[in-house]
Amino acid sequence: MPYLDHAASTPPRPEALAALDRWLRADDGVVGNASSAHAAGRRARAAVEEAREVVAERLGAAPHDIVFTSGGTEADNLALKGLAWAAAEQGRRHLVVSAVEHPAVRDAAAWLCDAQGFEVTWVQPQSDGRVDPEAVLAAVRPDTAVVSVMAANNELGAVNDVAAIGAALADGPAALHTDAVQAFKTLPLDVAAMRCDALALSAHKFGGPHGVGVAHLRRGVPIVPLSHGGGQDRGVRSGTFAAALDAACGAAVAASDDAREELAPRLRGMTDRMAKVLLDLDGVRRNGPSDPTHRLASHLHLSIDGVDGEALTFALDRAGVQASAGAACSSGANKASHVLDAVGIDGDAALRLSVGWTTTDDEVERALDVITDVIADLRAVGGGGVV
Ligand code: PLP
């Protein structure tokens, strides 16, 4: 079955599986607690520290700035809330957040506003889903605590110029967070070049397992932890280190980073091919940036006239093509997308096709045949029937 939902989750890479296997089993069957002083503990700790160093090197960061989390959602929450709470202690309670952020950022910011008395300025995107750095900077005030703009949007694949925002904010008090969960697979990221204070990654988006991610949190930028406990990771994230998951995340970061130069053009070729065939159909339009340098190589987002979105993904699944109506990575509920709302797209079906390291040309061709047939069949029965 063609799988064209790599933006929701991409299969784990062999390097990540090997690291997981090694650190779940261990040679003598004992994976110690990485905070224990004995040999088994020291071994587990070495695995965590090695992974931390790998991630830091690949992001242009210092190892002590890397904190492993349970995924992108926790990394985003930690950055948003942690940086906001710390800034509030200095009297700054204003947030600048793009209106197209993933719910992990958007809902965290909304909660800070509704439940904690912060104020949020939502920056609307341009019609192609990108966020204008000038509009972001215009919203920044002396009391701004955190600015959050994603490196690339999960639905439209629109890529933002985070470095332009980082350069302008570098000397001010506001902290800059970027959710790079979708970007890392195909775009090289360098936190020093972006001048961001916080960055979020999620391993299952680039070949690691579910349940682990990365928060890059620049040391020296005050942060209040989300959880309290054993004080691991300089007290920013308490809890026993997940040595196997962290090691697998590190292995996936290295493997994905090594593969990027070959992978990105290959994925671009596939999304271009899909666009060529599907945009040729009547009533099919591309959403998101038209300039390829402004959109992720892995994403193709379409609006399809005359069919119902839910019926489309259901019919595609029945016909063997796994894809997403929008951002499948939230709840599975087929509710209206805040991203499409923000860029003024509504009504007909939206379809996100996203490819990854396991996608083959043959898989793409089979999927294209099915998608073309399913659209025709649905239209033949008035758009919403079961075909
Ligand atoms: N941010 C973006 C842009 C995403 O696409 C996702 C996907 O789910 C997340 C955050 C959440 O990451 P995780 O699934 O690791 O919690």
Side-chain angles (χ1 to χ4, degrees), residues 7-8 70-74 76 102 104 150 152-154 179-182 201-205 211-213 329-330 352:
S70 61
T73 300
E74 186 193 337
D76 281 332
H102 186 275
M150 66 205 315
N153 182 261
N154 47 307
D179 175 334
V181 165
Q182 293 287 335
L201 296 183
S202 168
H204 71 97
K205 307 291 188 181
V212 59
C329 52
S330 44
R352 180 186 68 182

Side-chain angles (χ1 to χ4, degrees), residues 166-247:
L169 290 182
D171 300 324
L176 173 62
H177 169 60
T178 189
D179 175 334
V181 165
Q182 293 287 335
F184 181 73
K185 185 167 79 180
T186 52
L187 294 178
L189 299 173
D190 183 319
V191 293
M194 286 194 281
R195 303 187 78 162
C196 58
D197 301 297
L199 174 144
L201 296 183
S202 168
H204 71 97
K205 307 291 188 181
F206 54 81
H210 293 116
V212 59
V214 171
H216 161 264
L217 300 166
R218 197 156 63 77
R219 188 178 283 201
V221 180
I223 186 157
V224 173
L226 291 184
S227 51
H228 296 85
Q232 290 89 341
D233 261 339
R234 60 184 156 116
V236 172
R237 194 204 184 228
S238 282
T240 301
F241 290 104
L245 287 173
D246 298 354

